[in-house]
Amino acid sequence: MRRVLTTLMILLVVLVAGLSALVVMVNPNDFRAYMVRQVEARSGYQLNLEGPLRWHVWPQLSILSGRITLTAPGATEPVVRADNMRLDVSLLPLLSHQLKVKQVMLRGAVIQLTPQTRKMPQQGAPVAPKENTLPEVEDDRGWSWDIARLQVADSVLVFQQEDDEQVTVRNIRLQMEQNATHQASVDFSGRVNRNQRDLTLSVKANVDASEYPQRLSAAISDVQWQLHGGDAPPQGISGQGSLAAQWHHDSQQLSFSDLKLSANDSAFSGKGSVILSEKPQWSLDLAFDTLNLDNLLTAKGSASSNAATAQQGQQAQPRRPRPVIANGEMQPEFTSLRDFSAQVALRAKAILWRGMRFENVNGQFVNAAGLLSIPTLQGKMGEGEISLPGTLDVRHEKSHAAFQPKLDNVEIGTILKAFNYPISLTGKLSLAGDFSGNRIDADDFRRAWQGDARLELKESRMEGLNFQQLVQQAVARSSNVQAQQNYDNATRLDSLSAALTLDEGTMTLADMQGRSPLLTISGEGTLDLVRELCDTHFNVRVLEGWKGDGKLVDYLKETAIPLSVYGQWQSLNYSLQVDQILRKHLQEEAKRRLNDWADRNKDSQNGKDLKKLLNKL
């Protein structure tokens, strides 16, 4: 044991002595001019080192510098600024005048990728067909330069393209290692704060740059991210993912495959590519297991809470939740479609939006620099099916949207609740129509869209008013006819059809025809979607539930009773014209009986006089 300790002590003394001798014999400032020349020779960038270089021997033999800057040729601002730089070097190569840098570490760096830091060609300089940024094979100059690892800590990245807004990435941590064939592993993390949104991102990847710049490939194995603030839900959005990406210089194409990404309880996979031209051309093929938009883009529970408020009978108009595809800066989002072209294929097993669940969704989207076409957007909703093809044109100053919805046996109550309409109506809705407006927004549809549709409603139930009961009770109060007791405060119809016209907040229903075993209705009316008012007029014919005078009952079964329903949706009023109908029936019955008496006494003077009088009525 004593010999082992003695040996270790001897080795430690030799090591310390060697390092001390190296520090005394080799001046790190001898490398300053060489490093500057090599950086400029290989990349054209100007490296500026402020202050003297000094040794640091523990725990790693390193060269420390003061403030540094790295500036591209012709740039007005340096691309990299750093408070200090550390070069971890190998010991043995120093003895033969070789500087082998194992790792470069920058701390407190500011990396600017902006128009001011870009490399600018000199006037009159020839333009090379291709730029080769790979290390060149050098002749023996007495020194060599080699970097295996790069580490960046506590740094900031500023990114900007032309006149776009700057994006700042803070708290950057980067660890990159590469081998002799330019195959590297990258571990990166940072935080982006923009427009009151805070994004934390970390990425681990293996990069193959052996054919760069013609080709660059990366296998991104672990992406972790979290988003808070802005339009994100209170709990934020977080997820993870992976993908494989390739860059092709000749075609300026970035393609990716094996894409897997999650966000909260949503997850999708897919592949795609983008050609980076003046107007990028995207191609995406995405498949979702579940896409929960309610948990991604809107405040949690806003739609349901507003619907509950409406059902409680409050007169104040409920606060509308912001539509998930719209926000306060809707127009700029629309106009951004002008800046690129895209073809997107989307498939989803389930999509959740405003409390509605869509299954087996299939969509095709084509954007031609501002003209967005949706030839296919369809799926199942409950037991029904829905299709929503359309177009959105933002190529001009004023945008224009047009959609041709088609619904087949879709529960109307779910739709009314999703968009906070306080109408207690259920039933299977079938609709085919054509609607247009300027903005794809639920509130704008309510206020400013136009269109026409034909609708049919099966097995409908409207809460709050029982048409059969209203008519029969009114008749019973004015005659000796009795009505069947019905305590169900709702109107049920097996079928209801109407022609619908929408014009800037006013929905007109014409040619309404409804039928059930108990009654038939016809009518027309208007609904004010903004002020939530209605003014409707029906002709109601009650077929069953009468008791009493047979002739009067037969007459009532064949006679339509005028019924008007009007007022606020949550506190409807109605009026019936039963007295006029009964008065008319009594008049007709009296006239009929007088005619019968006159016919029986047609030979008498009284009969003749009565017949003349009845003919004048």
Side-chain angles (χ1 to χ4, degrees):
M1 185 65 180
R2 184 178 299 176
R3 292 182 179 180
V4 174
L5 293 176
T6 303
T7 303
L8 291 177
M9 291 300 296
I10 294 173
L11 291 176
L12 180 60
V13 170
V14 172
L15 178 62
V16 172
L19 292 177
S20 301
L22 178 65
V23 171
V24 173
M25 298 175 57
V26 179
N27 185 356
N29 289 283
D30 293 342
F31 300 112
R32 175 194 296 270
Y34 172 73
M35 288 190 291
V36 171
R37 289 196 306 270
Q38 289 301 305
V39 170
E40 184 175 10
R42 295 172 182 245
S43 66
Y45 284 68
Q46 181 64 45
L47 175 65
N48 182 37
L49 302 171
E50 297 181 8
L53 303 179
R54 60 191 186 278
W55 287 111
H56 183 77
V57 298
W58 184 261
Q60 165 68 43
L61 182 62
S62 307
I63 298 175
L64 302 182
S65 75
R67 184 180 297 272
I68 72 159
T69 60
L70 185 65
T71 307
T76 59
E77 294 286 338
V79 65
V80 177
R81 285 191 180 96
D83 294 336
N84 58 72
M85 177 176 68
R86 189 184 82 192
L87 304 178
D88 296 339
V89 300
S90 298
L91 174 62
L92 294 180
L94 290 175
L95 302 178
S96 59
H97 290 271
Q98 291 182 343
L99 180 63
K100 184 175 182 180
V101 180
K102 296 188 294 183
Q103 176 172 272
V104 175
M105 179 177 181
L106 299 176
R107 185 177 295 275
V110 178
I111 306 168
Q112 300 185 89
L113 302 178
T114 65
Q116 292 76 19
T117 64
R118 289 179 183 172
K119 181 177 180 181
M120 302 297 293
Q122 299 180 356
Q123 293 184 355
V127 179
K130 291 183 180 179
E131 182 181 3
N132 183 11
T133 60
L134 289 174
E136 299 175 357
V137 178
E138 298 184 357
D139 296 332
D140 184 10
R141 300 177 184 176
W143 300 90
S144 65
W145 175 263
D146 187 15
I147 299 176
R149 294 190 293 269
L150 172 65
Q151 184 176 359
V152 180
D154 301 331
S155 300
V156 175
L157 170 65
V158 179
F159 178 78
Q160 183 183 23
Q161 283 189 332
E162 300 303 332
D163 297 330
D164 293 343
E165 184 180 352
Q166 285 188 354
V167 178
T168 302
V169 185
R170 305 181 186 277
N171 299 339
I172 288 180
R173 181 188 62 80
L174 173 65
Q175 180 74 46
M176 183 178 71
E177 299 184 15
Q178 68 169 344
N179 56 25
T181 59
H182 300 284
Q183 293 176 337
S185 62
V186 179
D187 188 351
F188 169 87
S189 66
R191 181 173 62 86
V192 181
N193 188 283
R194 184 184 184 192
N195 296 335
Q196 298 182 347
R197 299 177 178 91
D198 189 90
L199 174 64
T200 302
L201 177 69
S202 66
V203 178
K204 293 182 180 180
N206 293 320
V207 181
D208 185 356
S210 58
E211 300 179 28
Y212 184 82
Q214 281 71 36
R215 183 173 175 271
L216 180 68
S217 61
I220 303 175
S221 58
D222 187 10
V223 178
Q224 304 280 344
W225 60 283
Q226 289 184 337
L227 176 66
H228 295 277
D231 292 336
Q235 74 275 17
I237 304 174
S238 61
Q240 58 187 6
S242 62
L243 72 151
Q246 288 188 343
W247 166 253
H248 302 275
H249 177 75
D250 293 340
S251 60
Q252 292 291 293
Q253 184 182 50
L254 175 65
S255 58
F256 52 89
S257 59
D258 298 327
L259 173 63
K260 296 180 180 179
L261 187 66
S262 67
N264 289 353
D265 57 349
S266 300
F268 72 92
S269 60
K271 59 182 180 179
S273 65
V274 56
I275 298 176
L276 299 180
S277 56
E278 181 180 355
K279 291 187 176 181
Q281 303 173 36
W282 288 86
S283 177
L284 299 174
D285 187 352
L286 305 177
F288 291 83
D289 287 333
T290 300
L291 176 58
N292 188 347
L293 296 176
D294 290 338
N295 202 17
L296 294 176
L297 301 178
T298 61
K300 186 175 181 180
S302 61
S304 60
S305 63
N306 287 339
T309 300
Q311 291 176 357
Q312 290 172 1
Q314 297 184 4
Q315 296 300 319
Q317 181 174 343
R319 177 177 62 87
R320 310 293 183 198
R322 187 178 308 175
V324 298
I325 56 177
N327 61 22
E329 298 178 353
M330 195 63 184
Q331 191 63 23
E333 287 191 3
F334 278 176
T335 56
S336 64
L337 293 173
R338 304 173 186 171
D339 301 331
F340 66 95
S341 298
Q343 291 187 342
V344 180
L346 181 148
R347 300 176 305 281
K349 294 180 180 178
I351 294 180
L352 303 178
W353 180 51
R354 287 179 168 259
M356 297 182 290
R357 181 181 179 87
F358 304 91
E359 297 179 340
N360 300 330
V361 177
N362 180 29
Q364 300 289 331
F365 305 84
V366 179
N367 178 39
L371 178 60
L372 176 63
S373 301
I374 309 176
T376 302
L377 181 57
Q378 60 188 16
K380 293 182 65 64
M381 181 178 171
E383 298 179 358
E385 297 183 356
I386 184 170
S387 175
L388 194 64
T391 59
L392 172 63
D393 190 348
V394 298
R395 296 174 297 179
H396 310 290
E397 182 177 355
K398 190 174 183 180
S399 61
H400 179 75
F403 286 85
Q404 299 78 43
K406 185 176 181 181
L407 286 69
D408 186 15
N409 289 326
V410 174
E411 176 55 54
I412 189 174
T414 304
I415 298 176
L416 294 174
K417 181 179 178 181
F419 291 95
N420 306 310
Y421 287 105
I423 301 177
S424 298
L425 177 65
T426 59
K428 304 298 183 181
L429 174 66
S430 296
L431 178 146
D434 191 348
F435 297 93
S436 63
N438 295 327
R439 298 172 57 185
I440 302 179
D441 174 62
D443 191 60
D444 196 69
F445 178 87
R446 190 190 308 252
R447 297 175 180 272
W449 278 52
Q450 306 86 30
D452 300 284
R454 185 72 187 179
L455 65 86
E456 295 182 1
L457 198 59
K458 297 180 180 179
E459 301 175 4
S460 66
R461 176 185 173 95
M462 186 177 70
E463 302 288 346
L465 289 176
N466 186 327
F467 285 5
Q468 175 198 3
Q469 189 179 58
L470 293 177
V471 171
Q472 289 185 332
Q473 288 179 349
V475 171
R477 288 193 296 266
S478 302
S479 69
N480 60 354
V481 173
Q482 296 180 354
Q484 178 181 338
Q485 293 295 329
N486 186 354
Y487 299 101
D488 190 2
N489 191 25
T491 299
R492 297 171 178 265
L493 294 173
D494 290 345
S495 63
L496 174 67
S497 63
L500 180 152
T501 301
L502 178 64
D503 185 13
E504 297 183 352
T506 300
M507 180 181 293
T508 302
L509 297 173
D511 190 26
M512 284 191 288
Q513 302 290 334
R515 187 173 183 87
S516 75
L518 300 179
L519 76 163
T520 63
I521 66 170
S522 61
E524 60 185 14
T526 60
L527 300 177
D528 190 324
L529 304 183
V530 179
R531 295 185 296 170
E532 298 185 349
L533 298 171
C534 80
D535 183 14
T536 54
H537 306 278
F538 301 95
N539 293 314
V540 182
R541 190 159 59 93
V542 179
L543 305 177
E544 300 292 341
W546 299 105
K547 296 179 181 179
D549 186 352
K551 291 184 178 180
L552 180 56
V553 168
D554 292 341
Y555 174 79
L556 291 172
K557 289 182 179 181
E558 299 297 328
T559 303
I561 308 296
L563 169 65
S564 297
V565 180
Y566 57 92
Q568 290 282 343
W569 294 352
Q570 295 173 296
S571 56
L572 293 172
N573 302 309
Y574 71 92
S575 65
L576 278 166
Q577 300 178 15
V578 174
D579 293 340
Q580 295 89 326
I581 297 297
L582 294 177
R583 188 180 301 113
K584 182 180 179 181
H585 171 69
L586 291 175
Q587 290 174 350
E588 292 178 350
E589 182 64 19
K591 185 177 179 180
R592 182 187 64 80
R593 292 185 179 184
L594 290 174
N595 268 319
D596 291 344
W597 186 87
D599 290 339
R600 291 195 302 269
N601 299 276
K602 58 183 178 180
D603 295 332
S604 66
Q605 186 61 40
N606 290 335
K608 294 179 180 178
D609 293 340
L610 180 58
K611 197 68 172 179
K612 291 179 182 180
L613 178 61
L614 293 175
N615 291 334
K616 293 180 180 181
L617 296 178

